[in-house]
Amino acid sequence: MTLTSFRRFMAKAAILLQMAVVVLFVSCGGEVSPQELAAVSAKGYYEHLISGEYEAYLSGVNMADSLPEGYREQLLTNARQFMARQKDEHGGITGVSVVGASTDSVAGHTNVFLLLSFADSLREEVVVPMLEVRPSEWRMK
């Protein structure tokens, strides 16, 4: 197993673990809406980004597993550069929280609103369009 395939495997395992937590919550009697599932997934992908787990973050992009290797590497480089820029400009991103989520029936996706917290106490809200690729499995559009 190569390092790249191992990282992809670990990224998928992390996503499955997050989904297992949601399933456990549901099995304990809680009702989880599709918007909540999308929000948990989006937050998890951004937590991977913040932790420098770029393969795991990229695995959250819709159809990432079928991208040409050169384009995949470019997206990983972009994620690294984005985080380096945030570190230079704001001391880095220190956390992410869910503000809300809403379904856009016209566009066919769910918008998740995340609040990014930076080391310099700045906060920024971002919108992450999410697609349900399989029942209860969400990816970033």
Side-chain angles (χ1 to χ4, degrees), residues 68-82:
E69 192 59 34
Y71 184 55
R72 179 181 190 77
E73 286 302 317
Q74 184 180 10
L75 291 175
L76 289 170
T77 299
N78 289 346
R80 286 185 198 98
Q81 289 174 346
F82 171 77

Side-chain angles (χ1 to χ4, degrees), residues 14-107:
I15 292 166
L16 289 175
L17 178 62
Q18 291 172 354
M19 296 312 296
V21 169
V22 171
V23 169
L24 179 63
F25 176 75
V26 171
S27 67
C28 292
E31 188 73 25
V32 178
S33 70
Q35 291 86 1
E36 290 171 319
L37 289 172
V40 166
S41 297
K43 182 178 187 280
Y45 296 137
Y46 268 74
E47 287 172 341
H48 287 306
L49 178 65
I50 293 167
S51 298
E53 299 164 353
Y54 303 115
E55 286 280 347
Y57 168 74
L58 187 58
S59 72
V61 173
N62 188 37
M63 311 250 325
D65 50 351
S66 62
L67 294 173
E69 192 59 34
Y71 184 55
R72 179 181 190 77
E73 286 302 317
Q74 184 180 10
L75 291 175
L76 289 170
T77 299
N78 289 346
R80 286 185 198 98
Q81 289 174 346
F82 171 77
M83 290 305 293
R85 188 171 56 249
Q86 298 312 309
K87 186 168 181 72
D88 288 345
E89 294 176 4
H90 305 289
I93 301 173
T94 58
V96 59
S97 58
V98 175
V99 176
S102 65
T103 300
D104 184 338
S105 56
V106 174

Side-chain angles (χ1 to χ4, degrees), residues 74-138:
Q74 184 180 10
L75 291 175
L76 289 170
T77 299
N78 289 346
R80 286 185 198 98
Q81 289 174 346
F82 171 77
M83 290 305 293
R85 188 171 56 249
Q86 298 312 309
K87 186 168 181 72
D88 288 345
E89 294 176 4
H90 305 289
I93 301 173
T94 58
V96 59
S97 58
V98 175
V99 176
S102 65
T103 300
D104 184 338
S105 56
V106 174
H109 63 260
T110 296
N111 288 319
V112 175
F113 303 92
L114 299 177
L115 186 65
L116 303 179
S117 300
F118 295 86
D120 63 1
S121 73
L122 179 71
R123 290 181 170 202
E124 180 177 349
E125 188 173 313
V126 296
V127 179
V128 184
M130 300 291 289
L131 295 171
E132 188 173 27
V133 294
R134 289 187 203 104
S136 301
E137 184 180 336
W138 292 82

